[in-house]
Each structure stands twice: as C-alpha cells, then as structure tokens.
Amino acid sequence: MATKRKVNNLLALAVLAVMIDRPKHRYEIAQTLKDRGKEQDMAIKWGSLYTVVQNLEKVGYLEIVGSERDGARPERVIYQITEAGRTELADWTRELVAVPEWEATRFIAGLSILSVLPPDEVIELLGRRIDALSQAIDGARAETTKAVAAGLPRLFIIESEYGIAMLEAEVAWARSFRAELSEGTFPGVDWWRQIHADNIPVAEVIASVERGMTRPESS
C-alpha cells in the first residue's frame, strides 16, 4: 500500500530530486526540471511549482539558506534540501519502484465503453493508434540512441527504456486484438456487429447482459 506523503504530489518528488546537488531558487528548479525533461516522466503543472516548493519548506524537506537579486528583478529565495528531504526522496523512490499501483489511462477508459462503437470502426481506430504508437516508438528509440551516443549513462535514461517497452507491449496487444476483430475470431463479434446494424441501444444490451440474458447467437 502506498504511503500517505506529507506532500503527496509527484512534482514534489521531482523537486527533491533536482535539489540534491546544490541549493537553488525556484527559477533554477523549474529550469533544471525542464532541462532534464521531467515533464515527459510525470504530469507537471508548472503553475503549482511555487506552492509545492512552499509546502516542501513548510514540512521541513527544504530550507531557506539565503536570497539573491539580479539587477532590478525581484529578490529570489534560495532553498536547499534537508536531511529529512533526502530521506523522503529515497523512501518515496523505493516505494515507487517496489510497490505496484494501478493507474487508469485514457485508453483503458475507452476500452471500458468500447461497445458503443461498431467493431468495424474499432478496427480502423486501432489501426490509427498502432500507427501513432509505432511512430512514437521510433522517435523514442532515436532519442535514446542519441543520448547514449552523447555519453549519457544508461542509468539516466532507464525510464525511457521502460516507456518504450510499455509502448511496444501496447502495440502488440492492439495488433492482436485488431486481428481477432478483423478475422472474426473475437468471441461475439458478429453479435456485436449486429447490435449496431439493427440500431439496438447499447444501454439495452448492457442491461440484458447484466440480467444474465444470453446473446442471440447463443440461444
């Protein structure tokens, strides 16, 4: 089970991670996160960075160590990570790596109500998704290869490798599902197709299934 964190926001984790080398002000924190492409690894709302840094300081994971002024710009508060912050960073990372947590996706949401579309349309839509994912995989592989060639240790792109593996798994599943629909081997695909051909409201079909009624083709 996931631990209830004092600052339960993945942006907080990212902030702690970029603070371990030296003190920084908020602008430097934001720029470092962008330079390291953290918005590709987690959902970052840049507008909440100020609040997240403030909350990390409030709970003792960051502390103010000074300030600086650049010309006429407003004074910038400089923060550094505390020992408690380092402990939280390590503990949180351990949990994320070791404890599986179900994360719903937009694709899963679509699959959960797939019956509202006819199977032939789903075949076409899956084809489009497969093409888009294949392009994304090619792009991610190219970026990873470039990073390795530039001398970046594999340790710092391991999340990209995982991302590519997940995309490949999704493509493989989508191709298999699409093939079942195209070849007519998916159980009940003819019934599913007939529902839409006869303009039977899907809500009625779902209600019938929930009542335990058999499919027309099985009666």
Side-chain angles (χ1 to χ4, degrees):
M1 175 182 285
T3 302
K4 185 174 177 57
R5 302 286 166 185
K6 291 181 180 179
V7 186
N8 194 23
N9 182 324
L10 284 178
L11 178 54
L13 179 71
V15 169
L16 291 174
V18 301
M19 292 296 293
I20 57 177
D21 57 343
R22 62 179 177 80
K24 297 179 179 70
H25 51 66
R26 282 191 298 269
Y27 176 80
E28 288 179 299
I29 293 172
Q31 194 58 51
T32 304
L33 289 170
K34 291 176 181 177
D35 290 344
R36 295 181 183 177
K38 286 303 174 185
E39 69 274 15
Q40 298 175 21
D41 303 330
M42 59 189 76
I44 291 181
K45 296 181 179 179
W46 297 108
S48 64
L49 179 62
Y50 177 89
T51 301
V52 167
V53 171
Q54 199 172 43
N55 288 339
L56 287 171
E57 190 265 330
K58 184 177 179 179
V59 300
Y61 295 154
L62 295 179
E63 62 184 358
I64 297 173
V65 292
S67 63
E68 67 177 31
R69 184 184 297 276
D70 184 6
R73 292 181 177 179
E75 188 175 54
R76 291 171 170 172
V77 177
I78 300 174
Y79 299 86
Q80 74 176 11
I81 191 169
T82 64
E83 282 306 311
R86 291 177 184 274
T87 298
E88 174 70 359
L89 173 62
D91 183 63
W92 200 347
T93 303
R94 291 187 187 102
E95 179 185 291
L96 290 173
V97 173
V99 182
E101 187 172 342
W102 174 254
E103 296 179 275
T105 66
R106 290 166 57 88
F107 187 41
I108 291 174
L111 291 174
S112 72
I113 54 173
L114 201 59
S115 59
V116 303
L117 301 175
D120 294 320
E121 183 178 359
V122 172
I123 291 170
E124 190 271 331
L125 294 172
L126 286 172
R128 285 161 52 184
R129 185 178 190 88
I130 290 166
D131 288 343
L133 288 172
S134 297
Q135 291 179 20
I137 290 170
D138 290 342
R141 282 177 177 161
E143 288 299 316
T144 301
T145 300
K146 185 191 302 182
V148 172
L152 188 66
R154 185 182 173 200
L155 174 61
F156 297 113
I157 57 172
I158 202 68
E159 74 280 8
S160 297
E161 288 189 13
Y162 173 79
I164 292 171
M166 293 302 98
L167 290 175
E168 290 175 335
E170 183 177 328
V171 167
W173 184 87
R175 281 179 175 150
S176 176
F177 179 36
R178 185 172 187 271
E180 285 187 81
L181 295 178
S182 299
E183 297 164 7
T185 58
F186 183 80
V189 67
D190 293 333
W191 168 69
W192 177 10
R193 185 175 284 110
Q194 194 63 46
I195 288 170
H196 287 274
D198 294 342
N199 291 317
I200 301 175
V202 173
E204 290 184 12
V205 177
I206 293 174
S208 297
V209 171
E210 289 177 344
R211 288 196 300 268
M213 295 177 64
T214 57
R215 295 194 299 268
E217 63 188 51
S218 303
S219 59

